[in-house]
Amino acid sequence: MTPVRREPLAEQAADALLTRIRDGEWALGQKLPGETTLAPQLGVGRSTIREAIRHLAGRGVLASRQGAGVFVTALDVQDGLEDVLRRAGIVAVVEARTAIEVEASSLAAERRTSAELRAMRDAIEHRRGRRDSIEEHVDADTALHRTIVVAAHSPLLTELFDGLTPRSRQAMVELLRIRGAYGSDADHVVHAEIVDAIEAGDPAVAATRTRAHLRTLTSRLA
């Protein structure tokens, strides 16, 4: 086993441990050897091993369990959400929107308040008047869809929607430029019908209409 020689030692030790995990030396859920075993293998002190383990724990690869030891909780480091979103194409973004917004529409049909319905109706009319600029139209569209997500009363869905919004905005602007048309009367009716289903308290129809709408966004990209 090649000792770790370059600075910073803790990061190098973490990289060495991660390589061994990737290579299958320790399986998912398996306990790592103790510090007294790992330290001489990597040519570093026990304090460096502890720091390396903390580093990998922070990246979701290892977990320390008091009185039990250190266990493998992932076989590789996962990219952060921002990195994943940065690489996501238009279709992938719409698929993510679908996963969030179909469920949100269904829940909103069950949980929305009168004030939230008014916010949806106001957002629809605001969106209807934003046809001169793609960017303004996308922003108005996003605001409408967010009123529906908020009406689901699911903080996690709202957080997921907001986290996706910057990349979603870019993707939707690009998509509308490709399609060359947006903001039609028919498109307005589709959105109004989604809100109608939410107002009627029909989760199944609200979800179905939302899914159908989002699927049409990418239907002509192939």
Side-chain angles (χ1 to χ4, degrees):
M1 197 84 49
T2 303
V4 174
R5 295 188 179 90
R6 292 174 296 170
E7 296 289 341
L9 286 178
E11 290 185 12
Q12 293 300 316
D15 288 343
L17 290 175
L18 181 59
T19 297
R20 293 168 68 177
I21 292 169
R22 286 169 173 161
D23 290 344
E25 184 170 342
W26 300 298
L28 188 65
Q30 186 174 349
K31 180 180 177 180
L32 261 63
E35 296 171 4
T36 55
T37 300
L38 292 174
Q41 288 179 354
L42 299 183
V44 297
R46 292 174 59 184
S47 62
T48 300
I49 291 295
R50 284 194 293 271
E51 189 175 344
I53 289 171
R54 283 195 295 270
H55 179 74
L56 290 178
R59 301 174 76 183
V61 177
L62 299 176
S64 297
R65 302 175 189 169
Q66 190 170 6
V70 178
F71 295 82
V72 178
T73 53
L75 299 179
D76 205 345
V77 175
Q78 298 299 312
D79 289 338
L81 179 59
E82 290 184 4
D83 294 324
V84 174
L85 290 176
R86 194 177 301 115
R87 294 193 299 269
I90 294 174
V91 173
V93 170
V94 174
E95 288 173 348
R97 283 191 58 187
T98 301
I100 296 167
E101 295 182 43
V102 169
E103 181 64 15
S105 291
S106 176
L107 292 174
E110 298 176 338
R111 302 173 179 176
R112 85 290 181 279
T113 66
S114 297
E116 287 164 345
L117 279 172
R118 287 194 298 273
M120 291 177 209
R121 296 296 183 190
D122 289 345
I124 285 178
E125 291 308 310
H126 179 73
R127 179 184 185 277
R128 188 179 200 175
R130 295 298 181 272
R131 302 187 183 187
D132 295 333
S133 160
I134 288 179
E135 288 79 5
E136 287 186 2
H137 179 78
V138 169
D139 290 341
D141 180 75
T142 301
L144 167 58
H145 285 275
R146 191 178 191 278
T147 64
I148 295 172
V149 176
V150 169
H153 294 268
S154 172
L156 183 54
L157 284 178
T158 301
E159 185 171 347
L160 289 171
F161 181 89
D162 289 345
L164 181 63
T165 292
R167 178 64 188 107
S168 177
R169 183 183 190 275
Q170 294 173 345
M172 293 305 104
V173 168
E174 182 180 351
L175 175 62
L176 294 185
R177 284 176 178 159
I178 292 171
R179 294 177 64 170
Y182 60 93
S184 66
D185 289 340
D187 181 55
H188 173 77
V189 170
V190 166
H191 285 80
E193 288 177 342
I194 292 171
V195 175
D196 287 344
I198 293 172
E199 183 172 15
D202 195 327
V205 173
T208 297
R209 288 176 177 174
T210 301
R211 185 184 299 278
H213 160 60
L214 290 169
R215 280 181 173 174
T216 63
L217 293 179
T218 56
S219 61
R220 285 176 281 178
L221 283 183

